[in-house]
Amino acid sequence: MKRNRRKKEEPSAEEVPKKEQKIVYIDDGSQIADMSATRRHGNAPRQKSTAREKIRTYFAVVKRMLIPMFCTLAAFALVYVILLALTGGF
């Protein structure tokens, strides 16, 4: 005996409300700037950084750039000395 089973009708694409995909951020320990406050959302007050925080950030970045800067200058100086020696400029 066969039973007459009705298939459940799937709702059309228009009837199904779209679900927003939730974004999940994973902290991997890297130092990435938080840019979430750069754009205003509605009437939310924007957080302003103080002058002290700006100065602290500036000097922290400069400290990180010193070693690469000195390595680059040393490499340029080494290339210059080698080229000077090859051309007989001493």
Side-chain angles (χ1 to χ4, degrees):
M1 283 188 178
K2 289 186 178 179
R3 292 184 187 174
N4 291 333
R5 292 185 183 175
R6 290 186 181 178
K7 290 185 178 178
K8 291 183 180 178
E9 291 183 20
E10 294 182 15
S12 66
E14 295 173 358
E15 295 174 7
V16 177
K18 293 183 180 179
K19 293 181 180 179
E20 289 189 29
Q21 187 177 14
K22 185 175 180 180
I23 299 173
V24 178
Y25 296 98
I26 299 172
D27 184 16
D28 59 354
S30 62
Q31 296 179 351
I32 299 174
D34 180 18
M35 300 296 289
S36 62
T38 57
R39 199 171 42 150
R40 288 191 180 190
H41 299 284
N43 293 331
R46 184 175 171 190
Q47 295 177 350
K48 294 185 179 182
S49 60
T50 63
R52 182 180 213 162
E53 290 173 337
K54 290 178 184 177
I55 290 170
R56 220 180 252 170
T57 303
Y58 173 77
F59 283 112
V61 170
V62 169
K63 282 180 190 176
R64 287 181 172 238
M65 289 190 303
L66 284 177
I67 293 174
M69 180 186 66
F70 286 137
C71 290
T72 304
L73 288 175
F76 283 140
L78 184 65
V79 170
Y80 176 74
V81 169
I82 291 172
L83 288 176
L84 199 62
L86 290 174
T87 58
F90 276 122

